[in-house]
Amino acid sequence: MDTAKMQIYQLKAQIIQAAAHPIRLAVIEYLADGEQCVCDIVDYVGAQRSNVSRHLSVMLRAGVLDCRKDGLKMMYSLKTPCIVKFLSCVEQALKERIEGQAAILSKME
């Protein structure tokens, strides 16, 4: 494989890794409805503000989120709203996995 193609795969992996945490997934789904203040994001995910801020910075660096200052508030939004479609695909894969496991368990009875 050529170097350029491998670099593209590495960049894609960075974006996927930026979403690969339960708090980050919750933030992405919360921001699917539009821009939110960090204080509301903290309330939604139910984690410490410092912890949420670290997760937000990971997603900002990866290009998943945008932020802007509004007075004293930091406002966050999805820079790439299409990531929500990717999460829908992940949910479908999870459902199929669970259905497959349920079918195996039903045969054990």
Side-chain angles (χ1 to χ4, degrees):
M1 182 179 321
D2 67 43
T3 306
K5 194 169 251 188
M6 185 53 81
Q7 288 174 334
I8 296 294
Y9 287 136
Q10 288 173 342
L11 293 170
K12 288 179 180 181
Q14 287 175 359
I15 292 170
I16 293 168
Q17 288 170 345
H21 188 280
I23 288 176
R24 295 181 208 151
L25 292 171
V27 169
I28 290 168
E29 287 190 353
Y30 186 58
L31 293 178
D33 292 332
E35 183 180 62
Q36 296 292 333
C37 169
V38 68
C39 53
D40 293 331
I41 296 169
V42 167
D43 288 343
Y44 179 76
V45 300
Q48 296 284 328
R49 186 180 182 117
S50 59
N51 191 15
V52 172
S53 292
R54 280 193 302 273
H55 288 294
L56 292 171
S57 68
V58 167
M59 291 188 288
L60 281 167
R61 281 193 307 273
V64 174
L65 300 182
D66 262 336
C67 73
R68 68 178 183 85
K69 196 163 185 151
D70 184 17
L72 297 175
K73 294 181 179 182
M74 286 301 292
M75 305 296 291
Y76 289 86
S77 61
L78 291 176
K79 187 173 189 175
T80 53
C82 61
I83 198 164
V84 176
K85 292 179 187 176
F86 173 72
L87 295 182
S88 293
C89 180
V90 171
E91 285 179 15
Q92 182 61 38
L94 180 59
K95 286 177 186 175
E96 289 175 14
R97 179 178 162 190
I98 290 169
E99 289 169 1
Q101 289 173 341
I104 292 169
L105 288 175
S106 70
K107 292 177 183 178
M108 292 175 60
E109 296 174 350

